[in-house]
Amino acid sequence: MTRAQRIRGLLALAIVALSLYVAMSVPVHLGLDLRGGTQIVLETRPTADDDAGPDTVDRTVEVLRGRVDALGVAEPTIVRSGSDRIVVELPGVQDPAEAAEVLGRTARLSFHHVLGTAPDAIAPDATEAAAGPRPDTPRPPVLPDESGQLLRLDAAVLTGKDVEKAAARFDAQSGAGWHVTVEFKDAGRDRWAALTGEAACRPVGDPARRVAIVLDDRIVSSPQVDPSVRCGAGIGGGSTQINGAFDDGEARELALLVNGGALPVPVETVEERTVGPTLGAQAITASVWAAAVGSTLTALFVIAVYRLLGALAAVALLCYGLISYAALAALGATLTLPGLAGFVLAIGMAVDANVLVFERAREEYAAHHRPTPRSALAAGFRNALSAIADSNITTLIAAGLLFLLASGPVRGFGVTLGIGVLASMVSALVITRALADLAVSRPGLRRRPHLTGIAHTGVVRDRLARGNPRLMRHPRRWLAASAAALVLAGAGIALRGLDFGIEFTGGRQVEYATATPVDPDRARAALADAGFPHAVVQTSGENRLTVRTGQLTTAQANAVGAAVGDLTSRADELRDETIGPSLGKELRRGALIALAVALGAQLVYLAVRFRLLLGTAAVAALAHDVVILVGVFAWLGKPVDGVFLAALLTVIGYSVNDSVVVFDRLRELTRHADKERETRFRDIAGRALQQTLPRTVNTGTGAALILTALAGFGGDSLTDFALALLIGLAVGTYSSMFTATPLAVVLQERRRSPQLL
């Protein structure tokens, strides 16, 4: 064994040992779509009166953290997102409206001297008062007290910043019931004494003897100063109590808000997502089954095709799964449902690097008249390295764009896909090679090379050699077939339109599990009778019903639930998502930007690696794949949402992966053709396709097995995702061979250049 082989072996052992240690000691953080709970996205809305400095959002995060801690939620997550958004995850919380009410209230507490009554003033609208302060108006000087009488207030003397602590208490002896005691700190004690001392100078019964306690532009208490308080002396001790005919919940919530502090700026809820724990558990179980079945089928296929080396590749695939899981845990990444699907998908993609190496080793063995399996394998790794690197880098570009431009679960998909690609390279180039080097150096295999799996050309290559098809004899015919598919897909988009999910339109989407199957037409009629004629109703599986509407109030959401409940004996709410229209517009714009940037980035990279002609052909094939996939979903009436975007960008990465493998071989053959004075580009392109076709068939089969398992065992939540990827796999495989390559041939021949590229 050479020194390089020993180093690779020790490196592989160290990577596996470290991954095993991390996997056993560091848990992976599960997203709410897998463990259940509520996610709320808040957006800061500073007004002209607010001190909106660069650290405003950070200070808001700290205040929200105090409120969430007081709620008693286990393992909450509060993180800043972008310049003005905050993402709050509350595991186990199934009432987003209540959580958003506590988190989103500005809790602007202030204490005022009452100047007198204002009988001629116009009171704020009751709805406005209940909703709290508006960001575009100043705080009103006239407010109704507890009985509805209008009071004219002086400027605030104390605010929530002067409060030391607040507590909800019950006083059964005096009959005051529930109230909130407030203790002031530092200078606030003196201000409280001055405020009450000034009010004590007024006669008993005079409205000006009152002190108004205002919370979010609503007077919650306006007591008269007790006659025992002397004028100018005020109430000492630095404490008071807020009486507002509270019940226990209201008193505790008020104390929570006061203790949590006032938000530096108002916030608005722009997105809410609630997932039941049952749905999350089902998703995990389904994905585990998909991973187990898909991995087993893929391993059996690889072993059947490549024998001993295939078995070693299957072991490396297990190590790949271990490395990916450990990397997720070590980075503190959140594993979401699309991310879990990306993890399963990357198993299929991890096969590709092994297949590339083994096919190049087979070519080397056949071309050099039966060399040793060891030398053929070394040549296979050497010759496949550039294709492996280029194809994986293009997939990493797609994963990086998902991380940078997407949000939420789709961003998590980008993280897991990127980790999976890197882990697949490690498993193929380090672990598989270490195991293979050890195996092929055994004397027994040198005497029986057929057991290695690379000592023959393979079934696909043998049939191609016997038939010798001239795949690029008529390149324009292939392009005509691609154009016909584009026209058909475009017709679906034009005639059927796209069913955008609420991520891109804004609105509310609720998913129910019904005791019995519900006819969607009957559900639409029931919702129309309930006042929702434009509700979109979809069914999936036997007992899943999804209702998508515009923005709903709590009462309207209850009405939707009641209408669905009347259709069956039982309807359990599995998922509830609300996205504001401004956020939906922003996400839709971000999706288009992600798609455009993905195509542009692929063009730049391929132009640098393979010159502009091949880069243009590959990107044109990517655009072909995008239009066809979107068109198929339009014809099928499937939703175009964030998960579809993840699938679409994955298809882009996979399609360009195939094109890179073909173009890498085309580049290699072109160099030899220059030396041999062969200048007919279409013949060289046909040879490149023919030589890479075994790899395409074997890799595509492995990925198809994984995706079929994902579609069959992944559950309703992953069905559309797996369907999009299966369609993309078929379309991408076709376009890399019969769209990108024929287009490159036509473009090259139009140049009338004596050079091949």
Side-chain angles (χ1 to χ4, degrees):
M1 182 176 291
T2 66
R3 183 171 182 270
Q5 290 175 336
R6 287 196 296 270
I7 292 176
R8 276 195 296 270
L10 291 174
L11 180 60
L13 186 61
I15 291 174
V16 172
L18 179 61
S19 299
L20 184 61
Y21 171 76
V22 173
M24 296 181 64
S25 59
V26 181
V28 168
H29 179 68
L30 297 179
L32 291 184
D33 52 358
L34 294 178
R35 57 176 172 167
T38 294
Q39 180 190 71
I40 300 173
V41 179
L42 302 170
E43 188 172 87
T44 57
R45 299 290 175 87
T47 68
D49 297 331
D50 292 316
D51 180 19
D55 62 339
T56 301
V57 177
D58 293 331
R59 288 187 285 120
T60 304
V61 168
E62 293 306 314
V63 173
L64 289 173
R65 184 168 285 113
R67 294 185 182 183
V68 171
D69 290 342
L71 283 173
V73 179
E75 298 182 5
T77 301
I78 307 173
V79 295
R80 177 173 177 167
S81 177
S83 61
D84 59 353
R85 289 205 180 110
I86 301 168
V87 179
V88 182
E89 292 186 351
L90 307 173
V93 174
Q94 299 296 312
D95 188 350
E98 179 183 354
E101 164 67 14
V102 174
L103 294 176
R105 287 183 62 178
T106 53
R108 295 192 175 199
L109 183 68
S110 55
F111 299 80
H112 304 254
H113 179 217
V114 177
L115 299 177
T117 59
D120 297 329
I122 300 176
D125 181 80
T127 304
E128 294 182 5
R134 298 187 305 176
D136 56 344
T137 59
R139 298 172 66 87
V142 176
L143 291 174
D145 66 6
E146 306 93 311
S147 64
Q149 182 184 32
L150 295 179
L151 301 180
R152 190 176 300 278
L153 308 181
D154 200 354
V157 178
L158 298 98
T159 66
K161 296 180 180 179
D162 298 306
V163 174
E164 176 72 31
K165 65 178 180 178
R169 302 187 185 281
F170 183 77
D171 188 352
Q173 294 181 349
S174 65
W178 283 96
H179 61 274
V180 177
T181 61
V182 178
E183 296 184 11
F184 300 102
K185 59 184 178 182
D186 303 330
R189 299 172 182 266
D190 297 332
R191 294 195 189 101
W192 175 246
L195 175 62
T196 54
E198 181 182 354
C201 295
R202 301 287 181 160
V204 175
D206 189 335
R209 192 180 176 89
R210 299 166 69 180
V211 173
I213 304 174
V214 179
L215 180 70
D216 289 345
D217 288 344
R218 182 170 62 91
I219 295 178
V220 295
S221 184
S222 57
Q224 286 258 351
V225 175
D226 193 89
S228 62
V229 178
R230 291 185 295 112
C231 174
I235 301 176
S239 65
T240 186
Q241 69 180 37
I242 303 175
N243 300 304
F246 304 122
D247 59 24
D248 58 340
E250 293 170 335
R252 290 192 175 96
E253 181 182 324
L254 176 57
L256 165 64
L257 291 171
V258 174
N259 281 325
L263 294 177
V265 291
V267 296
E268 179 180 330
T269 300
V270 295
E271 180 181 351
E272 292 177 8
R273 297 178 185 268
T274 300
V275 179
T278 302
L279 184 61
Q282 291 174 347
I284 294 176
T285 302
S287 297
V288 169
W289 269 105
V293 173
S295 300
T296 301
L297 292 176
T298 302
L300 291 175
F301 171 75
V302 173
I303 293 172
V305 174
Y306 298 109
R307 302 183 187 178
L308 176 62
L309 290 182
L312 298 179
V315 174
L317 282 180
L318 293 177
C319 296
Y320 151 80
L322 176 63
I323 294 170
S324 298
Y325 181 89
L328 285 172
L331 294 175
T334 299
L335 185 60
T336 61
L337 183 58
L340 192 58
F343 181 80
V344 175
L345 171 64
I347 297 175
M349 298 182 68
V351 177
D352 185 44
N354 293 284
V355 171
L356 278 169
V357 170
F358 296 159
E359 287 298 328
R360 294 307 298 257
R362 281 180 170 180
E363 292 179 15
E364 186 73 16
Y365 194 90
H368 289 80
H369 306 291
R370 300 179 181 276
T372 64
R374 182 175 177 179
S375 62
L377 186 65
F381 276 102
R382 183 176 59 254
N383 295 334
L385 184 60
S386 63
I388 293 174
D390 286 332
S391 59
N392 281 281
I393 287 174
T394 54
T395 306
L396 284 174
I397 289 175
L401 290 173
L402 282 174
F403 179 79
L404 293 175
L405 301 178
S407 61
V410 179
R411 191 179 191 187
F413 173 81
V415 173
T416 53
L417 181 61
I419 291 174
V421 170
L422 294 174
S424 70
M425 293 182 67
V426 171
S427 68
L429 299 180
V430 178
I431 297 177
T432 300
R433 184 160 190 181
L435 293 174
D437 284 341
L438 181 64
V440 297
S441 62
R442 302 297 93 189
L445 280 182
R446 287 200 295 268
R447 293 192 298 269
R448 302 179 183 85
H450 63 280
L451 296 178
T452 62
I454 61 173
H456 58 87
T457 55
V459 177
V460 176
R461 196 179 304 277
D462 288 342
R463 290 185 177 180
L464 288 173
R466 288 194 299 268
N468 191 27
R470 296 178 60 187
L471 298 175
M472 287 295 104
R473 179 185 302 176
H474 303 291
R476 285 178 173 81
R477 293 182 181 178
W478 295 116
L479 294 180
S482 298
L486 284 175
V487 171
L488 184 61
I493 298 173
L495 298 177
R496 296 291 299 270
L498 298 179
D499 181 17
F500 287 107
I502 62 167
E503 290 97 334
F504 301 145
T505 61
R508 189 160 185 169
Q509 178 172 300
V510 186
E511 183 180 0
Y512 301 92
T514 58
T516 56
V518 175
D519 181 68
D521 293 331
R522 184 166 164 245
R524 293 186 191 99
L527 289 168
D529 293 340
F532 307 98
H534 302 295
V536 178
V537 178
Q538 293 177 323
T539 57
S540 59
E542 294 184 356
N543 59 346
R544 294 283 179 86
L545 182 72
T546 300
V547 178
R548 191 165 73 246
T549 67
Q551 299 294 322
L552 299 177
T553 64
T554 301
Q556 289 173 326
N558 293 335
V560 170
V564 173
D566 292 339
L567 299 173
T568 180
S569 60
R570 181 179 178 183
D572 297 326
E573 187 177 293
L574 297 178
R575 187 192 305 270
D576 188 348
E577 301 181 7
T578 300
I579 294 182
S582 61
L583 182 59
K585 186 181 300 183
E586 180 180 322
L587 291 175
R588 186 168 64 249
R589 183 174 64 250
L592 294 175
I593 291 174
L595 184 57
V597 173
L599 293 176
Q602 305 284 8
L603 176 60
V604 171
Y605 180 80
L606 293 173
V608 172
R609 291 291 293 154
F610 299 100
R611 299 190 183 181
L612 184 59
L613 185 144
L614 295 183
T616 302
V619 171
L622 295 185
H624 162 276
D625 299 343
V626 169
V627 173
I628 290 182
L629 182 55
V630 173
V632 170
F633 262 54
W635 280 116
L636 296 177
K638 295 290 185 180
V640 176
D641 51 16
V643 174
F644 175 82
L645 175 61
L648 187 64
L649 289 178
T650 304
V651 168
I652 290 175
Y654 186 88
S655 177
V656 77
N657 187 327
D658 270 358
S659 298
V660 162
V661 172
V662 176
F663 289 166
D664 180 79
R665 184 61 62 92
L666 182 57
R667 179 176 54 188
E668 180 181 330
L669 294 178
T670 300
R671 296 194 190 105
H672 294 300
D674 284 335
K675 298 176 182 178
E676 299 168 2
R677 305 296 182 184
E678 182 183 356
T679 58
R680 188 172 170 82
F681 184 76
R682 67 170 59 191
D683 292 336
I684 300 173
R687 287 172 52 203
L689 276 181
Q690 184 171 331
Q691 291 179 11
T692 56
L693 193 57
R695 169 262 163 201
T696 302
V697 171
N698 292 338
T699 296
T701 302
L705 290 173
I706 287 287
L707 294 178
T708 302
L710 194 62
F713 296 93
D716 295 331
S717 302
L718 294 176
T719 299
D720 288 346
F721 180 84
L723 175 64
L725 290 178
L726 277 170
I727 296 172
L729 172 67
V731 174
T733 301
Y734 171 87
S735 69
S736 65
M737 295 187 296
F738 303 121
T739 302
T741 307
L743 183 58
V745 170
V746 172
L747 292 177
Q748 172 68 19
E749 292 179 348
R750 280 192 172 186
R751 292 174 55 188
R752 301 181 183 276
S753 171
Q755 296 181 345
L756 291 174
L757 285 176

